[in-house]
Amino acid sequence: MIYNKLKKCGKDVRINELALITRPELIEMGSHIAIDAWTYISTNLIMGNYIHIAPSVTILGGANALLKMGNFTNIGSGGRIVCATDDFEQGLISPVIPVEHRTIINKPIIFKDYATLGVNCTVLPGVTLGEGCIVGANSVVTKDTQPWMVYAGSPAKPIKPRKKERIIKSSQILMKNI
C-alpha cells in the first residue's frame, strides 16, 4: 500500500488506487486529503491540511521539482502543474535526452493557503498562487497571483476580488480538529 511509502502522512488521507505517485518517498501529506483517480505525480510534494486533488490532474517535473500546497487548497479536474520543463528557446527537448544537452527550467510552484484552481488549468514553473486566489476554468497561470483575487484567461488575469471573512472563520474552526 502506498500510504506506508510516503515520507509523511497525516490522518484521513485518501488516495485513489488509480492515482500514480512515482516517488512516494518524496511526498509529505497533512490531514484530510483526497487524491482522485488518474492523478499523476512525479515531483516532490508538500501538502498542508484539507486539500483535494481532483481526477486527471498531472503534477510534472521529476525528482528535483517541487509543488507546495498550503492548507485548504485544491486542484480542479484536468489540472496541469508544471514544476520543471525544458526551455524551448535553447537545448534539445525531451526527458529522454541526457541533461547536458538540455536547458531545464525548474522552479517550485507554491499554493498559499486557500488557493484553488478550477478545471483544466495549467500552472507554469515558479508561480506562487497568492493566499485565497481562485483561478477559473481553462486558465493558464504564468505569473504570481495576488491574494484574494479571482483570475481567468490565458494568460490568467485578475477579474475581481474574493471575500475572505467567512473562509477564514470556517478554516479556523476546522483547524482546531487537526
Side-chain angles (χ1 to χ4, degrees):
M1 177 133 310
I2 194 151
Y3 298 99
N4 55 9
K5 295 179 183 178
L6 298 171
K7 185 174 183 179
K8 178 185 170 200
C9 185
K11 63 182 180 181
D12 185 32
V13 172
R14 293 168 279 147
I15 302 170
N16 187 282
E17 64 186 26
L18 297 176
L20 177 58
I21 299 174
T22 62
R23 297 173 178 91
E25 70 279 4
L26 301 178
I27 309 294
E28 299 178 34
M29 294 186 181
S31 296
H32 309 292
I33 293 174
I35 298 176
D36 291 346
W38 308 294
T39 291
Y40 175 82
I41 302 170
S42 72
T43 65
N44 284 278
L45 175 57
I46 301 171
M47 303 173 84
N49 302 296
Y50 292 100
I51 294 172
H52 179 229
I53 298 177
S56 303
V57 168
T58 305
I59 301 170
L60 295 171
N64 294 320
L66 172 65
L67 170 60
K68 185 174 182 184
M69 298 180 72
N71 299 317
F72 302 98
T73 56
N74 304 282
I75 303 173
S77 190
R80 302 292 179 249
I81 311 303
V82 184
C83 300
T85 187
D86 289 301
D87 182 340
F88 299 142
E89 292 181 27
Q90 55 184 328
L92 292 170
I93 298 170
S94 173
V96 299
I97 302 291
V99 72
E100 63 268 18
H101 301 287
R102 299 166 59 199
T103 302
I104 299 171
I105 300 169
N106 183 353
K107 298 177 182 176
I109 293 176
I110 300 171
F111 284 49
K112 297 287 187 171
D113 291 348
Y114 316 106
T116 294
L117 294 179
V119 298
N120 294 321
C121 289
T122 300
V123 181
L124 298 181
V127 167
T128 296
L129 297 174
E131 181 181 76
C133 164
I134 296 288
V135 179
N138 298 310
S139 296
V140 178
V141 186
T142 61
K143 296 179 182 176
D144 293 353
T145 63
Q146 299 170 21
W148 300 104
M149 289 294 292
V150 177
Y151 281 76
S154 178
K157 303 237 184 268
I159 304 298
K160 63 181 179 180
R162 186 171 181 223
K163 297 177 182 175
K164 66 180 179 178
E165 293 75 22
R166 181 174 177 214
I167 296 165
I168 299 292
K169 185 176 180 181
S170 293
S171 70
Q172 289 170 339
I173 292 167
L174 290 170
M175 288 301 284
K176 290 179 183 177
N177 297 326
I178 299 294

